[in-house]
Amino acid sequence: MQRTHPDVRTSFLRTNLRQIVGLTALGLAVIAVLTTLSFFHFSKKMYQVIYAQNMSSVSQLAGYFTRTFDTKIKSCFQILENAEILIEPEQELLEDGVMEKLELVVTKTEFSDMGVVDLQGNARNVNGKAANIYDVQFVQEVLAGNRYISDTAYNKEGQPYLLLAIPMHQRGEIAGILYGRYLIEDILYDVEWETEGDCYFQIVDSQGNYITRSNSQNVWVDSNTDLWIELERYDYHDTTTAEEIANNIRQGKSGTFYCTYKGDGRYGSYQPIGINQWYVFSVLPEQNIAEYASSMRQISLHMLVQILLCLLAGALIPLLYIGRVYYMIRDKNTTLEVHNRMFQLVLQKTKDIPFEADLPKHEVILHSPRFEGGNYTLNLADIRPSVLFAQEKLDATCYGTYQKTYADLMRAKTGEPEIVQLRMFGEMTWFKIMLLDVYRLGADTRVVGVLENYEEQKQKDMEIERRRQQAIHLSRRSQHDFLTGLFNRETFEEWVDLYLGSEPERMQAFLILDLDHFKEINDTMGHTKGDEVLRDVADALRHQFRRDDLIARLGGDEFVILLKHLDSDAVIEKLTSALGQALRKTYTQGETSLSISASIGVARAPIDGTTFAELYPKADAALYAVKRRGKDSFQIYHPE
């Protein structure tokens, strides 16, 4: 048998050992290179994920701020519209009674001031201050039928405020302006949040002035710098410039940018609030992302070294270390999750309950600090109108309203806010349900909305309505004749002067009517029968003339009528003749029968005058000419 020489075997073993060592070294080198590249790729991806998630959180908070701010402004206009209802059509806008009602609204709301402006530009507020502001731009805009929101203004104490105004209507026409001043700090009270975290937010107006300033330690701006000056300081990456940002703001666009200042980086976004070209600026310091990414890179490098060592020592140590890294990453992700839920700070400042409905999953999630864990999940079937009503969680009077809102929700459709009473946290509470937005991610359809706590406002609305009805009742009693229900002399005279002053060119007829033989009925049949006659005459006048014509009883058997918008004397004669015929009537009591008729004197506006004081004596003169002729007729006044 041939034997192998020991030197040959040794050489063979050494050769194979070198090959094994070489292949192992090559394999370890390849693994090391691939592992190193993988971890650097992982570090880069982690940085991108952290940035995207933080920017998403900033955009969501800015969007929630914008919607909440818009809702607050709409609530302010709702208060002004409710205040308008309190003012009676016949009231003079600048009188004390109107100021008293507006002062009541100011005490019940957060408005710092309210006032009115009439068509002549005369203004008065609840503090009694009067002025003429006919040349102010907002007067012309509101008198054109538009709502108005001013830019930022400042009161005597230097506090910024907004001026909100709406047109006031009386008898279907614009009669003036109702305005209110609202401090900006009160408007922002329900929508502001703490800015001690990484992200911070600031609001600027269309001139680049700061409406709100962040208290964050990361903010760059000083107290005397406006936005335009601040943007010029920064170095922008890519193609973004300060001029481009300014142009976007002027055009109402949203955008994002990255800039540096003295080596310090910022990721920013801007989007319009929707009020007076105001913008909310959301800023995320790069330092926080860089520190986090640097920490992750260090962890990655340590992991790389450990893995290479573990490839030599065995599989146990890498597995244990990977477990350790897993918990470290989980802790970091927990911190990131806390940052992404910054809107919880906003929820703690309001009684409102935001919600999100996941239609494919048939779930709705309610967010509120009053829920354990901050949120509560329900099946959409559990909030159907019939289910809530059966569980006594929905007021019967609100069933139809809630049913419409629920149908809109299930159809993923936004609509007008609806006010309903629901049982929440064990008690019935008024809520304004608002379906704010619908978004779709593939087959996933979600509806975002809010249950705005409307309890306090509902109580205010109910109190205002009660006072309005009480005022209407008292006003009606003071303006009408108790026997016939027609206007009394004072009210008729006021309305005639007001109407003729607003229609100086149109022909109107002013009639005075006395009943013939009315005294005989009183003397013969008694005052009860006389009252019956007066009521019959009032009914006949209402039936004979249009609803817009003015009718009053001045006293006794004397009545006055203002016939509006007539074309000629022939029309006046036709209407007056028909009136005389309608008033001829015979009354019987026992064996006694008496007939009444009417003597009518007519004056014309503007020919014979444009006020009650000018028309009355001329119509009265025509009336007595009829009586001298034998009564039961009419006469149009003609100067001798």
Side-chain angles (χ1 to χ4, degrees), residues 173-203:
E173 298 180 351
I174 295 178
I177 298 171
L178 175 61
Y179 68 87
R181 292 186 175 90
Y182 213 117
L183 295 180
I184 292 178
E185 64 181 19
D186 291 336
I187 294 179
L188 298 178
Y189 178 79
D190 292 334
V191 296
E192 66 181 355
W193 49 76
E194 297 296 332
T195 54
E196 297 177 355
D198 297 338
C199 306
Y200 63 89
F201 307 83
Q202 302 188 113
I203 303 173

Side-chain angles (χ1 to χ4, degrees), residues 284-300:
L284 175 65
E286 183 187 40
Q287 177 183 0
N288 297 279
I289 301 177
E291 290 176 355
Y292 191 6
S294 176
S295 174
M296 296 306 300
R297 281 195 294 268
Q298 292 178 10
I299 294 173
S300 301

Side-chain angles (χ1 to χ4, degrees), residues 93-111:
L93 296 186
L94 304 182
E95 70 180 31
D96 292 340
V98 172
M99 295 301 107
E100 291 173 359
K101 293 176 181 178
L102 294 183
E103 186 175 11
L104 175 63
V105 176
V106 170
T107 60
K108 297 293 185 179
T109 65
E110 295 176 343
F111 274 94

Side-chain angles (χ1 to χ4, degrees), residues 28-59:
L28 289 174
V30 170
I31 292 173
V33 170
L34 292 177
T35 304
T36 301
L37 292 176
S38 297
F39 274 93
F40 276 110
H41 180 70
F42 167 80
S43 177
K44 182 179 179 180
K45 286 292 184 181
M46 180 60 68
Y47 184 94
Q48 293 173 349
V49 169
I50 295 168
Y51 168 70
Q53 290 183 347
N54 277 277
M55 286 303 293
S56 175
S57 298
V58 170
S59 297

Side-chain angles (χ1 to χ4, degrees), residues 403-423:
Q403 189 175 42
K404 176 182 179 299
T405 301
Y406 182 81
D408 288 344
L409 174 65
M410 297 304 294
R411 292 195 299 265
K413 173 185 175 183
T414 60
E416 292 297 321
E418 300 290 353
I419 299 172
V420 300
Q421 192 174 31
L422 300 171
R423 187 176 300 280

Side-chain angles (χ1 to χ4, degrees), residues 263-521:
D264 194 4
R266 292 287 191 274
Y267 292 92
S269 72
Y270 53 93
Q271 56 180 280
I273 295 177
I275 302 296
N276 293 350
Q277 297 182 339
W278 286 10
Y279 268 73
V280 56
F281 270 72
S282 314
V283 182
L284 175 65
E286 183 187 40
Q287 177 183 0
N288 297 279
I289 301 177
E291 290 176 355
Y292 191 6
S294 176
S295 174
M296 296 306 300
R297 281 195 294 268
Q298 292 178 10
I299 294 173
S300 301
L301 290 174
H302 290 169
M303 183 180 291
L304 174 61
V305 173
Q306 293 295 333
I307 289 177
L308 292 175
L309 292 176
C310 290
L311 288 174
L312 300 175
L316 180 61
I317 295 177
L319 292 175
L320 293 175
Y321 194 76
I322 289 173
R324 177 190 171 194
V325 172
Y326 166 78
Y327 287 107
M328 293 176 64
I329 294 176
R330 189 184 70 174
D331 291 339
K332 289 291 185 179
N333 286 336
T334 300
T335 302
L336 182 61
E337 182 69 15
V338 171
H339 291 167
N340 290 338
R341 296 183 179 275
M342 286 180 64
F343 76 93
Q344 292 293 337
L345 296 174
V346 178
L347 293 182
Q348 293 174 5
K349 294 179 175 290
T350 179
K351 296 179 181 179
D352 301 341
I353 304 176
F355 63 84
E356 180 181 18
D358 189 332
L359 299 185
K361 292 183 178 180
H362 298 283
E363 290 181 347
V364 60
I365 304 173
L366 306 176
H367 299 277
S368 173
R370 298 185 66 178
F371 295 125
E372 184 177 354
N375 56 66
Y376 185 66
T377 302
L378 287 166
N379 192 288
L380 286 174
D382 295 335
I383 62 170
R384 288 180 299 174
S386 58
V387 174
L388 293 182
F389 181 73
Q391 296 175 351
E392 298 183 349
K393 294 182 180 180
L394 173 64
D395 187 84
T397 60
C398 303
Y399 191 94
T401 302
Y402 179 77
Q403 189 175 42
K404 176 182 179 299
T405 301
Y406 182 81
D408 288 344
L409 174 65
M410 297 304 294
R411 292 195 299 265
K413 173 185 175 183
T414 60
E416 292 297 321
E418 300 290 353
I419 299 172
V420 300
Q421 192 174 31
L422 300 171
R423 187 176 300 280
M424 188 71 69
F425 305 115
E427 58 183 20
M428 295 299 288
T429 306
W430 286 99
F431 289 98
K432 180 187 285 186
I433 305 179
M434 294 178 286
L435 304 180
L436 300 175
D437 196 11
V438 177
Y439 64 94
R440 295 175 173 85
L441 301 174
D444 188 9
T445 301
R446 303 194 180 193
V447 180
V448 176
V450 64
L451 294 174
E452 180 183 334
N453 190 296
Y454 204 73
E455 186 68 26
E456 183 177 349
Q457 186 60 46
K458 186 67 175 180
Q459 297 302 321
K460 292 179 181 178
D461 293 345
M462 292 171 63
E463 177 62 18
I464 290 174
E465 178 62 20
R466 185 188 68 80
R467 292 178 178 270
R468 189 181 76 87
Q469 293 297 333
Q470 184 182 45
I472 290 173
H473 177 69
L474 294 176
S475 176
R476 184 170 181 82
R477 289 181 58 187
S478 64
Q479 295 174 355
H480 292 75
D481 174 55
F482 74 96
L483 179 62
T484 63
L486 300 176
F487 283 131
N488 58 27
R489 181 189 185 99
E490 292 77 9
T491 304
F492 181 80
E493 183 174 346
E494 179 181 348
W495 276 99
V496 167
D497 289 347
L498 180 64
Y499 180 76
L500 293 180
S502 66
E503 296 281 350
E505 305 299 330
R506 299 293 298 271
M507 176 182 280
Q508 333 284 343
F510 185 94
L511 282 63
I512 300 179
L513 180 154
D514 269 5
L515 296 179
D516 303 326
H517 312 298
F518 177 72
K519 185 176 184 303
E520 288 88 334
I521 289 181

